[in-house]
mmCIF file of all heavy atoms in Angstrom:
data_model
loop_
_atom_site.group_PDB
_atom_site.id
_atom_site.type_symbol
_atom_site.label_atom_id
_atom_site.label_comp_id
_atom_site.label_asym_id
_atom_site.label_seq_id
_atom_site.Cartn_x
_atom_site.Cartn_y
_atom_site.Cartn_z
ATOM 1 N N ILE I 12 0.844 -1.209 0.000
ATOM 2 C CA ILE I 12 0.000 0.000 0.000
ATOM 3 C C ILE I 12 0.869 1.245 0.000
ATOM 4 O O ILE I 12 0.643 2.189 -0.764
ATOM 5 C CB ILE I 12 -0.963 -0.005 1.203
ATOM 6 C CG1 ILE I 12 -2.006 -1.107 1.038
ATOM 7 C CG2 ILE I 12 -1.610 1.361 1.394
ATOM 8 C CD1 ILE I 12 -2.839 -1.365 2.283
ATOM 9 N N VAL I 13 1.890 1.265 0.838
ATOM 10 C CA VAL I 13 2.791 2.419 0.914
ATOM 11 C C VAL I 13 3.523 2.600 -0.412
ATOM 12 O O VAL I 13 3.634 3.721 -0.919
ATOM 13 C CB VAL I 13 3.777 2.266 2.092
ATOM 14 C CG1 VAL I 13 4.858 3.330 2.051
ATOM 15 C CG2 VAL I 13 3.025 2.328 3.412
ATOM 16 N N ARG I 14 4.016 1.523 -1.004
ATOM 17 C CA ARG I 14 4.695 1.615 -2.308
ATOM 18 C C ARG I 14 3.764 2.208 -3.371
ATOM 19 O O ARG I 14 4.162 3.060 -4.164
ATOM 20 C CB ARG I 14 5.164 0.238 -2.766
ATOM 21 C CG ARG I 14 6.458 -0.169 -2.173
ATOM 22 C CD ARG I 14 7.005 -1.426 -2.867
ATOM 23 N NE ARG I 14 8.020 -2.017 -2.042
ATOM 24 C CZ ARG I 14 7.850 -3.061 -1.245
ATOM 25 N NH1 ARG I 14 6.693 -3.678 -1.192
ATOM 26 N NH2 ARG I 14 8.838 -3.519 -0.512
ATOM 27 N N ALA I 15 2.530 1.745 -3.396
ATOM 28 C CA ALA I 15 1.566 2.243 -4.382
ATOM 29 C C ALA I 15 1.274 3.731 -4.173
ATOM 30 O O ALA I 15 1.174 4.494 -5.144
ATOM 31 C CB ALA I 15 0.271 1.430 -4.311
ATOM 32 N N LEU I 16 1.159 4.160 -2.926
ATOM 33 C CA LEU I 16 0.902 5.578 -2.647
ATOM 34 C C LEU I 16 2.052 6.458 -3.121
ATOM 35 O O LEU I 16 1.841 7.480 -3.776
ATOM 36 C CB LEU I 16 0.663 5.795 -1.149
ATOM 37 C CG LEU I 16 -0.673 5.331 -0.603
ATOM 38 C CD1 LEU I 16 -0.684 5.409 0.917
ATOM 39 C CD2 LEU I 16 -1.802 6.168 -1.176
ATOM 40 N N PHE I 17 3.279 6.060 -2.794
ATOM 41 C CA PHE I 17 4.422 6.876 -3.184
ATOM 42 C C PHE I 17 4.711 6.795 -4.679
ATOM 43 O O PHE I 17 5.322 7.700 -5.248
ATOM 44 C CB PHE I 17 5.660 6.502 -2.358
ATOM 45 C CG PHE I 17 5.620 7.086 -0.969
ATOM 46 C CD1 PHE I 17 5.155 6.348 0.095
ATOM 47 C CD2 PHE I 17 6.040 8.383 -0.745
ATOM 48 C CE1 PHE I 17 5.106 6.886 1.368
ATOM 49 C CE2 PHE I 17 5.997 8.941 0.514
ATOM 50 C CZ PHE I 17 5.529 8.189 1.579
ATOM 51 N N ALA I 18 4.283 5.743 -5.335
ATOM 52 C CA ALA I 18 4.468 5.629 -6.788
ATOM 53 C C ALA I 18 3.659 6.684 -7.538
ATOM 54 O O ALA I 18 4.002 7.061 -8.657
ATOM 55 C CB ALA I 18 4.079 4.233 -7.258
ATOM 56 N N ARG I 19 2.599 7.162 -6.931
ATOM 57 C CA ARG I 19 1.772 8.198 -7.560
ATOM 58 C C ARG I 19 2.478 9.548 -7.610
ATOM 59 O O ARG I 19 2.053 10.442 -8.323
ATOM 60 C CB ARG I 19 0.462 8.377 -6.782
ATOM 61 C CG ARG I 19 -0.425 7.185 -6.816
ATOM 62 C CD ARG I 19 -1.679 7.473 -6.037
ATOM 63 N NE ARG I 19 -2.517 6.299 -5.941
ATOM 64 C CZ ARG I 19 -3.632 6.259 -5.259
ATOM 65 N NH1 ARG I 19 -4.057 7.327 -4.619
ATOM 66 N NH2 ARG I 19 -4.341 5.155 -5.225
ATOM 67 N N GLU I 20 3.504 9.715 -6.808
ATOM 68 C CA GLU I 20 4.287 10.947 -6.712
ATOM 69 C C GLU I 20 3.461 12.139 -6.246
ATOM 70 O O GLU I 20 3.819 13.284 -6.496
ATOM 71 C CB GLU I 20 5.012 11.240 -8.023
ATOM 72 C CG GLU I 20 6.014 10.171 -8.388
ATOM 73 C CD GLU I 20 6.786 10.480 -9.651
ATOM 74 O OE1 GLU I 20 6.635 11.597 -10.206
ATOM 75 O OE2 GLU I 20 7.532 9.601 -10.087
ATOM 76 N N THR I 21 2.347 11.892 -5.607
ATOM 77 C CA THR I 21 1.566 12.966 -4.995
ATOM 78 C C THR I 21 1.596 12.846 -3.475
ATOM 79 O O THR I 21 1.177 13.754 -2.780
ATOM 80 C CB THR I 21 0.098 12.936 -5.467
ATOM 81 O OG1 THR I 21 -0.453 11.665 -5.157
ATOM 82 C CG2 THR I 21 0.012 13.190 -6.957
ATOM 83 N N VAL I 22 2.092 11.729 -2.975
ATOM 84 C CA VAL I 22 2.197 11.507 -1.538
ATOM 85 C C VAL I 22 3.659 11.654 -1.146
ATOM 86 O O VAL I 22 4.544 11.030 -1.736
ATOM 87 C CB VAL I 22 1.677 10.097 -1.158
ATOM 88 C CG1 VAL I 22 1.893 9.822 0.312
ATOM 89 C CG2 VAL I 22 0.208 9.963 -1.502
ATOM 90 N N TYR I 23 3.930 12.506 -0.156
ATOM 91 C CA TYR I 23 5.298 12.741 0.293
ATOM 92 C C TYR I 23 5.508 12.332 1.743
ATOM 93 O O TYR I 23 6.633 12.270 2.214
ATOM 94 C CB TYR I 23 5.660 14.218 0.134
ATOM 95 C CG TYR I 23 5.536 14.680 -1.292
ATOM 96 C CD1 TYR I 23 4.419 15.376 -1.720
ATOM 97 C CD2 TYR I 23 6.530 14.382 -2.213
ATOM 98 C CE1 TYR I 23 4.298 15.781 -3.043
ATOM 99 C CE2 TYR I 23 6.412 14.781 -3.531
ATOM 100 C CZ TYR I 23 5.303 15.478 -3.936
ATOM 101 O OH TYR I 23 5.187 15.875 -5.242
ATOM 102 N N GLU I 24 4.413 12.072 2.443
ATOM 103 C CA GLU I 24 4.501 11.706 3.854
ATOM 104 C C GLU I 24 3.391 10.716 4.161
ATOM 105 O O GLU I 24 2.279 10.845 3.665
ATOM 106 C CB GLU I 24 4.361 12.960 4.723
ATOM 107 C CG GLU I 24 4.534 12.685 6.189
ATOM 108 C CD GLU I 24 4.579 13.959 7.011
ATOM 109 O OE1 GLU I 24 5.447 14.808 6.735
ATOM 110 O OE2 GLU I 24 3.728 14.110 7.894
ATOM 111 N N TYR I 25 3.708 9.737 4.996
ATOM 112 C CA TYR I 25 2.735 8.709 5.357
ATOM 113 C C TYR I 25 2.827 8.470 6.856
ATOM 114 O O TYR I 25 3.908 8.226 7.378
ATOM 115 C CB TYR I 25 3.035 7.415 4.595
ATOM 116 C CG TYR I 25 2.088 6.280 4.913
ATOM 117 C CD1 TYR I 25 0.814 6.255 4.368
ATOM 118 C CD2 TYR I 25 2.469 5.243 5.745
ATOM 119 C CE1 TYR I 25 -0.068 5.223 4.652
ATOM 120 C CE2 TYR I 25 1.599 4.201 6.032
ATOM 121 C CZ TYR I 25 0.342 4.195 5.486
ATOM 122 O OH TYR I 25 -0.523 3.178 5.760
ATOM 123 N N ASP I 26 1.708 8.565 7.552
ATOM 124 C CA ASP I 26 1.663 8.327 8.992
ATOM 125 C C ASP I 26 1.551 6.833 9.231
ATOM 126 O O ASP I 26 0.526 6.228 8.936
ATOM 127 C CB ASP I 26 0.476 9.067 9.603
ATOM 128 C CG ASP I 26 0.394 8.903 11.105
ATOM 129 O OD1 ASP I 26 1.268 8.227 11.699
ATOM 130 O OD2 ASP I 26 -0.544 9.462 11.704
ATOM 131 N N MET I 27 2.604 6.223 9.751
ATOM 132 C CA MET I 27 2.621 4.785 9.987
ATOM 133 C C MET I 27 2.025 4.397 11.338
ATOM 134 O O MET I 27 2.076 3.237 11.719
ATOM 135 C CB MET I 27 4.053 4.264 9.899
ATOM 136 C CG MET I 27 4.620 4.320 8.517
ATOM 137 S SD MET I 27 6.165 3.435 8.467
ATOM 138 C CE MET I 27 6.979 4.251 7.138
ATOM 139 N N GLY I 28 1.466 5.358 12.034
ATOM 140 C CA GLY I 28 0.835 5.048 13.306
ATOM 141 C C GLY I 28 1.825 5.004 14.456
ATOM 142 O O GLY I 28 3.021 5.194 14.277
ATOM 143 N N PRO I 29 1.303 4.776 15.655
ATOM 144 C CA PRO I 29 2.159 4.804 16.843
ATOM 145 C C PRO I 29 3.077 3.586 16.925
ATOM 146 O O PRO I 29 2.835 2.554 16.300
ATOM 147 C CB PRO I 29 1.153 4.805 17.989
ATOM 148 C CG PRO I 29 -0.040 4.105 17.436
ATOM 149 C CD PRO I 29 -0.085 4.484 15.982
ATOM 150 N N GLY I 30 4.108 3.729 17.701
ATOM 151 C CA GLY I 30 5.010 2.610 17.956
ATOM 152 C C GLY I 30 6.311 2.739 17.198
ATOM 153 O O GLY I 30 6.382 3.363 16.146
ATOM 154 N N ASP I 31 7.336 2.149 17.761
ATOM 155 C CA ASP I 31 8.670 2.199 17.169
ATOM 156 C C ASP I 31 9.013 0.809 16.654
ATOM 157 O O ASP I 31 9.856 0.119 17.196
ATOM 158 C CB ASP I 31 9.675 2.661 18.223
ATOM 159 C CG ASP I 31 11.027 2.990 17.634
ATOM 160 O OD1 ASP I 31 11.088 3.252 16.421
ATOM 161 O OD2 ASP I 31 12.019 2.982 18.385
ATOM 162 N N ASN I 32 8.334 0.408 15.593
ATOM 163 C CA ASN I 32 8.545 -0.924 15.031
ATOM 164 C C ASN I 32 9.734 -0.924 14.081
ATOM 165 O O ASN I 32 9.987 0.052 13.391
ATOM 166 C CB ASN I 32 7.294 -1.383 14.282
ATOM 167 C CG ASN I 32 6.074 -1.356 15.172
ATOM 168 O OD1 ASN I 32 5.440 -0.323 15.283
ATOM 169 N ND2 ASN I 32 5.757 -2.467 15.794
ATOM 170 N N GLU I 33 10.439 -2.051 14.010
ATOM 171 C CA GLU I 33 11.645 -2.161 13.184
ATOM 172 C C GLU I 33 11.360 -1.900 11.710
ATOM 173 O O GLU I 33 12.126 -1.235 11.016
ATOM 174 C CB GLU I 33 12.257 -3.543 13.372
ATOM 175 C CG GLU I 33 13.548 -3.730 12.612
ATOM 176 C CD GLU I 33 14.105 -5.135 12.770
ATOM 177 O OE1 GLU I 33 13.814 -5.786 13.783
ATOM 178 O OE2 GLU I 33 14.806 -5.559 11.847
ATOM 179 N N TYR I 34 10.245 -2.433 11.199
ATOM 180 C CA TYR I 34 9.962 -2.272 9.775
ATOM 181 C C TYR I 34 9.780 -0.815 9.389
ATOM 182 O O TYR I 34 10.102 -0.419 8.261
ATOM 183 C CB TYR I 34 8.743 -3.099 9.349
ATOM 184 C CG TYR I 34 7.409 -2.561 9.818
ATOM 185 C CD1 TYR I 34 6.700 -1.660 9.045
ATOM 186 C CD2 TYR I 34 6.855 -2.975 11.026
ATOM 187 C CE1 TYR I 34 5.472 -1.168 9.453
ATOM 188 C CE2 TYR I 34 5.632 -2.502 11.443
ATOM 189 C CZ TYR I 34 4.947 -1.600 10.661
ATOM 190 O OH TYR I 34 3.741 -1.113 11.078
ATOM 191 N N LYS I 35 9.308 0.011 10.300
ATOM 192 C CA LYS I 35 9.107 1.425 9.992
ATOM 193 C C LYS I 35 10.439 2.111 9.711
ATOM 194 O O LYS I 35 10.527 2.933 8.802
ATOM 195 C CB LYS I 35 8.375 2.122 11.132
ATOM 196 C CG LYS I 35 6.946 1.641 11.291
ATOM 197 C CD LYS I 35 6.289 2.285 12.479
ATOM 198 C CE LYS I 35 4.911 1.706 12.706
ATOM 199 N NZ LYS I 35 4.282 2.268 13.901
ATOM 200 N N SER I 36 11.460 1.771 10.473
ATOM 201 C CA SER I 36 12.767 2.389 10.239
ATOM 202 C C SER I 36 13.396 1.890 8.938
ATOM 203 O O SER I 36 14.193 2.592 8.324
ATOM 204 C CB SER I 36 13.699 2.150 11.425
ATOM 205 O OG SER I 36 13.916 0.773 11.622
ATOM 206 N N ARG I 37 13.050 0.698 8.501
ATOM 207 C CA ARG I 37 13.558 0.194 7.219
ATOM 208 C C ARG I 37 12.891 0.911 6.040
ATOM 209 O O ARG I 37 13.496 1.080 4.989
ATOM 210 C CB ARG I 37 13.313 -1.312 7.087
ATOM 211 C CG ARG I 37 14.194 -2.154 7.959
ATOM 212 C CD ARG I 37 14.148 -3.622 7.555
ATOM 213 N NE ARG I 37 12.818 -4.144 7.352
ATOM 214 C CZ ARG I 37 12.146 -4.909 8.215
ATOM 215 N NH1 ARG I 37 12.698 -5.237 9.364
ATOM 216 N NH2 ARG I 37 10.935 -5.345 7.933
ATOM 217 N N TRP I 38 11.647 1.313 6.199
ATOM 218 C CA TRP I 38 10.890 1.923 5.115
ATOM 219 C C TRP I 38 11.086 3.427 5.010
ATOM 220 O O TRP I 38 10.800 4.007 3.972
ATOM 221 C CB TRP I 38 9.405 1.665 5.286
ATOM 222 C CG TRP I 38 8.995 0.234 5.158
ATOM 223 C CD1 TRP I 38 9.763 -0.824 4.755
ATOM 224 C CD2 TRP I 38 7.718 -0.302 5.430
ATOM 225 N NE1 TRP I 38 9.041 -1.971 4.767
ATOM 226 C CE2 TRP I 38 7.765 -1.688 5.179
ATOM 227 C CE3 TRP I 38 6.520 0.244 5.858
ATOM 228 C CZ2 TRP I 38 6.678 -2.522 5.347
ATOM 229 C CZ3 TRP I 38 5.434 -0.592 6.032
ATOM 230 C CH2 TRP I 38 5.514 -1.959 5.773
ATOM 231 N N ALA I 39 11.513 4.063 6.070
ATOM 232 C CA ALA I 39 11.535 5.528 6.108
ATOM 233 C C ALA I 39 12.955 6.066 6.048
ATOM 234 O O ALA I 39 13.888 5.461 6.557
ATOM 235 C CB ALA I 39 10.857 6.025 7.379
#
């Protein structure tokens, strides 16, 4: 979902929700 949003080139920021999960740091 995040890849598809950023592929549109109209999304520059995505709120991944609360928490300090490992995958979030890999994606951001």
Side-chain angles (χ1 to χ4, degrees):
I12 292 169
V13 171
R14 277 191 197 100
L16 286 171
F17 282 96
R19 295 181 185 176
E20 297 183 6
T21 57
V22 175
Y23 301 100
E24 184 172 303
Y25 179 77
D26 182 1
M27 292 190 207
D31 191 21
N32 304 86
E33 183 182 334
Y34 73 90
K35 293 176 185 177
S36 61
R37 288 194 313 258
W38 294 352

